[in-house]
Amino acid sequence: MLHFAPYSTFSILALVICFALVCVFEFVNGFHDTANAVATVIYTNSLKPRTAVIWSGLMNFVGVLLGGISVAYGLVELLPADVLSPPNGDPAVPMLISLFGTALAWNLFTWWFGIPNSSSHCVIGALIGIAIGDALLHTRSLGNSVDWSQIWKILRALAISPLLGLIGAGGLYFVVRHLIKDPELYQPPQGDRPTRGWVRGLLILTCTGVSFSHGSNDGQKSIGLIMLTIIGILPATFALAPDSATQISQISHNATIAAPLITQYDHDGLHDEAIASVTRLTQTNPDTVVASVLRADIYEVVAGLKAVAANTEASAHDRATAKTLSNQIRPVVEYAPWWVRLLSALCLGIGTMIGYKRIVLTLGEKIGNTHLTPAQGASAELVGAGLIATAGYTGLPVSTTHIITAGIAGTMLGSGSGINRGMLVKIALAWICTLPVTITLGAALFYVLNI
């Protein structure tokens, strides 16, 4: 049977505070990113603002509930194993405060000035900062303490997706312009007059698609953050999936196979902890195992197997075996209860219904030299919804803000109207500065709070 430790008053208080922080962050994420989905329908008077944001909020809610958790744990694994799965709650509170404090501060700063900014960048930057802060705290080399392969994988997705949005939306607009001659598609809104029937339906459809896909991708990020909170502070209860007791013997068997793989390719001793964890897992007794310790060992082994899978010196068979073993072990520590999904969906959905006005104006009037037309908005949202949904189901976090913003810019270029350079510079500066600022702030906060 699994052994669970009692909770201290401090753990319960810290859980409540950090739970509040993660809910506030997801709420802010909702109202910060709302404009990406509702800008077109509101700006073209296809829907009244209140109706648009309520519908978008509902679709975000559904997207979270139906999305997976691969993005959630893709982000979580940016953290070192000792921070990700501490045997007690000690490192968790500084980690969570650093994470939420950093991401919230930058999100609110950019929202206040009406600059479209990526909540994904904020979270990823803060997580990288915490990993760096942990390395500095323990005087470890950054090259060995931070999972740079996972970081580069995520950063590539964040960098490439806006370019795909720019090119894809611009190309789609060009095709639409030459195939559909209805002038209603290419006229900016005139006062309060709503768009005509089929154009209005098209814009509502694309709004729905972006809202759903945003929920399926960004909602996973909050699921990961909630799981970080409850696992970090109450590891005894939430360290392992509810049905993990039946899988302990299989974990021990997989650890036996993993042991020689990790030992063979650990030439410089970088994964001594993983090797020690493998030894403990092979000797695991289902009647005496401590959940939080087992979780820590599993993540150390997963880190060692990832290193083998990425090692070019390893044979193709060994790399494949390492990947298979990792995938078999992960479900024990990578899960999300139904109530976590529901909480994430509620926070994101409610946040979506508030705070949209500042950024709607930016997207509708300030990205291009001319005002947004229905065809431009629909092209940007259709391409954006496809990219975001695809990324969500393949485990890659992307920025809804940057994809939609880039898509609108692409349609402005496709129409020949050009881009407002002043606003483009502001958006580019926010994009460029977000990671350095959040990495620095996250690392500094984590280091100071742990001294």
Side-chain angles (χ1 to χ4, degrees):
M1 58 181 291
L2 298 179
H3 289 252
F4 302 110
Y7 308 142
S8 67
T9 302
F10 172 78
S11 292
I12 295 174
L13 179 61
L15 176 64
V16 171
I17 293 172
C18 291
F19 239 88
L21 285 173
V22 72
C23 290
V24 169
F25 174 78
E26 191 59 8
F27 175 82
V28 171
N29 183 12
F31 79 64
H32 193 285
D33 286 357
T34 302
N36 302 305
V38 301
T40 301
V41 290
I42 291 177
Y43 193 71
T44 59
N45 303 311
S46 297
L47 288 177
K48 296 294 184 183
R50 180 175 297 180
T51 304
V53 294
I54 290 175
W55 178 247
S56 180
L58 289 174
M59 289 300 101
N60 269 281
F61 182 89
V62 174
V64 177
L65 293 182
L66 297 182
I69 59 171
S70 55
V71 171
Y73 282 98
L75 288 179
V76 166
E77 288 181 11
L78 290 175
L79 294 173
D82 59 335
V83 177
L84 184 59
S85 53
N88 53 58
D90 291 342
V93 174
M95 178 266 288
L96 293 167
I97 291 175
S98 302
L99 172 59
F100 299 137
T102 297
L104 274 170
W106 190 247
N107 243 357
L108 288 171
F109 176 81
T110 52
W111 169 82
W112 181 258
F113 289 98
I115 301 173
N117 177 59
S118 169
S119 299
S120 302
H121 278 62
C122 293
V123 170
I124 291 166
L127 288 170
I128 295 172
I130 291 167
I132 291 173
D134 182 66
L136 296 175
L137 195 67
H138 294 92
T139 61
R140 295 194 295 243
S141 166
L142 292 181
N144 300 334
S145 301
V146 181
D147 188 352
W148 293 110
S149 63
Q150 179 71 3
I151 289 174
W152 295 134
K153 177 182 176 182
I154 289 174
L155 293 184
R156 280 197 299 271
L158 290 174
I160 293 172
S161 54
L163 294 176
L164 294 177
L166 178 80
I167 297 169
L172 179 59
Y173 176 81
F174 181 83
V175 171
V176 168
R177 189 69 183 262
H178 285 79
L179 292 181
I180 303 176
K181 301 302 182 181
D182 190 336
E184 183 80 8
L185 276 173
Y186 312 106
Q187 297 295 325
Q190 304 296 321
D192 295 330
R193 183 176 67 85
T195 53
R196 285 196 292 130
W198 81 271
V199 177
R200 183 184 184 190
L202 173 65
L203 295 174
I204 294 173
L205 180 64
T206 58
C207 167
T208 301
V210 173
S211 300
F212 177 86
S213 60
H214 175 259
S216 69
N217 195 287
D218 276 54
Q220 288 193 52
K221 296 163 193 169
S222 64
I223 289 172
L225 297 180
I226 294 171
M227 292 305 296
L228 268 182
T229 302
I230 61 177
I231 291 168
I233 297 175
L234 301 176
T237 299
F238 296 104
L240 304 175
D243 60 347
S244 57
T246 61
Q247 302 180 45
I248 290 177
S249 59
Q250 183 62 40
I251 293 171
S252 178
H253 173 71
N254 287 337
T256 303
I257 301 173
L261 279 177
I262 297 175
T263 303
Q264 179 179 352
Y265 295 104
D266 186 37
H267 303 306
D268 44 14
L270 297 180
H271 295 285
D272 288 343
E273 285 296 327
I275 294 170
S277 293
V278 164
T279 302
R280 286 191 292 269
L281 288 177
T282 58
Q283 301 169 354
T284 296
N285 184 339
D287 296 324
T288 60
V289 67
V290 177
S292 57
V293 174
L294 182 62
R295 178 183 178 84
D297 284 337
I298 288 173
Y299 263 117
E300 290 289 358
V301 173
V302 167
L305 289 171
K306 284 176 66 177
V308 174
N311 192 332
T312 56
E313 296 180 5
S315 67
H317 177 268
D318 286 347
R319 292 199 300 270
T321 301
K323 186 174 181 180
T324 300
L325 289 173
S326 179
N327 290 336
Q328 290 175 348
I329 293 173
R330 285 171 187 270
V332 179
V333 292
E334 296 186 352
Y335 73 103
W338 67 267
W339 62 268
V340 169
R341 293 173 181 266
L342 183 61
L343 178 63
S344 170
L346 283 172
C347 293
L348 186 63
I350 293 171
T352 299
M353 300 178 189
I354 299 173
Y356 60 90
K357 293 183 179 179
R358 291 176 183 270
I359 297 175
V360 164
L361 184 64
T362 297
L363 295 180
E365 298 185 2
K366 297 183 179 180
I367 291 181
N369 292 327
T370 58
H371 290 186
L372 186 72
T373 66
Q376 291 172 326
S379 297
E381 289 187 338
L382 188 60
V383 170
L387 289 172
I388 297 161
T390 301
Y393 287 100
T394 54
L396 292 174
V398 293
S399 167
T400 300
T401 300
H402 289 159
I403 289 176
I404 300 298
T405 303
I408 292 175
T411 64
M412 293 294 176
L413 291 173
S415 69
S417 63
I419 298 176
N420 181 337
R421 292 187 179 181
M423 179 51 63
L424 184 63
V425 168
K426 286 184 180 180
I427 294 173
L429 284 175
W431 192 89
I432 292 169
C433 294
T434 293
L435 282 177
V437 169
T438 53
I439 288 172
T440 302
L441 186 56
L445 273 175
F446 185 79
Y447 186 85
V448 170
L449 292 172
N450 277 286
I451 293 177

